[in-house]
Amino acid sequence: MEQSSPKAVAGIYAANLVEDGMVVGLGTGSTAYFAIKRLGERVADGLNISAIPTSEASAKLAKELAIKLIDFENISSIDITIDGADEIDNNFNMLKGGGGALLREKVVASITRRQICIVDNSKIVDKLGKFPLPVEVIPFGWPVVARQIEALGGNYQLRQRNISENYITDNGNYILDCNFYPIADAPKLEKDLKMIPGVVEVGLFIQMAHTLIVGNDDRTCTVKEHK
Ligand code: 5RP
């Protein structure tokens, strides 16, 4: 994807907001990729940051770019996290996990002071859920979880890596991609799903975004702050 694509424009804009000395959460996915690349350039130019990655892929990229990574033992909060989304609604609720990193992304978001959501405008929706909702589950007994998801009115697909292998997250779990569209009450659905034994995390990020940066086709960005 080129540097002038909407995803690149949003990612680069967000990376330019990072200031010296900050602790930065590194998102996962094709939009976060551009932010991490830009941060790498800025680090090479002397920017001093410490970063927490949300996936093995983002950790690998950060290491290649000589971005300093730290552990949670060393910090109690994160200044800025820059991450993508599969969907975001008008209330800044996000649906995430298309790239499979929802669990680490949510842990990182939970201690982030300013969560910056970077998207192209195809991700802005009125109602969440057209994109299948990722639910991370432990492999043991996953069909039990799946039946509970059906009981809540959804249906699911067990995510595959290829024709004969299940997709495995960085945490050793499976993902059920669920259809609850249109999600009428996202906070309630998140709670109901998290009550199912065997569910590790749900790709609904309720009120977790503080800033939304949308990359436009004309290489500009639209920036909105959550009120
Ligand atoms: C990964 C995610 C990503 O942020 C989401 O899938 C968007 O990805 P992309 O920027 O590639 O469209 O939640 O788990």
Side-chain angles (χ1 to χ4, degrees), residues 15 18 25 32 37 47 50 52 98 122 125 133 135 148 156 170 194 215 217:
V18 171
K37 288 284 270 192
L47 180 74
S50 307
I52 297 263
S122 70
V125 297
L133 172 63
V135 177
Q148 298 275 347
Y156 69 90
D170 285 348
K194 287 199 82 167
D217 289 331

Side-chain angles (χ1 to χ4, degrees), residues 13-152:
Y13 187 100
N16 286 337
L17 298 176
V18 171
E19 292 169 15
D20 217 43
M22 281 185 166
V23 177
V24 183
L26 305 176
T28 296
S30 58
T31 319
Y33 166 86
F34 289 105
I36 299 171
K37 288 284 270 192
R38 176 67 191 134
L39 284 173
E41 286 171 7
R42 294 192 60 204
V43 165
D45 287 344
L47 180 74
N48 175 29
I49 56 168
S50 307
I52 297 263
T54 55
S55 62
E56 297 299 329
S58 294
K60 181 170 176 288
L61 179 60
K63 280 182 199 152
E64 284 165 9
L65 296 166
I67 297 172
K68 185 172 81 186
L69 299 180
I70 46 164
D71 292 327
F72 286 104
E73 283 84 10
N74 305 319
I75 54 152
S76 54
S77 65
I78 294 172
D79 296 301
I80 280 186
T81 293
I82 304 171
D83 201 357
D86 299 301
E87 294 180 339
I88 180 162
D89 71 14
N90 295 326
N91 295 317
F92 280 42
N93 295 321
M94 298 180 284
L95 187 155
K96 290 178 50 54
L102 63 149
L103 174 55
R104 296 189 191 190
E105 288 172 340
K106 204 183 266 191
V107 173
V108 167
S110 73
I111 58 159
T112 292
R113 278 189 240 181
R114 187 180 183 194
Q115 179 84 18
I116 302 182
C117 177
I118 46 174
V119 292
D120 61 36
N121 63 19
S122 70
K123 308 286 186 75
I124 316 277
V125 297
D126 286 331
K127 286 270 175 231
L128 297 173
K130 201 170 261 179
F131 191 96
L133 172 63
V135 177
E136 182 159 347
V137 301
I138 58 166
F140 175 81
W142 73 263
V144 177
V145 177
R147 284 194 283 272
Q148 298 275 347
I149 285 172
E150 287 178 327
L152 286 176

Side-chain angles (χ1 to χ4, degrees), residues 172-200:
N173 296 316
Y174 290 167
I175 288 187
L176 299 175
D177 287 306
C178 301
N179 179 10
F180 282 96
Y181 185 74
I183 298 174
D185 186 342
K188 180 172 187 311
L189 181 62
E190 184 196 25
K191 284 198 189 94
D192 288 348
L193 288 167
K194 287 199 82 167
M195 288 299 290
I196 301 173
V199 167
V200 183

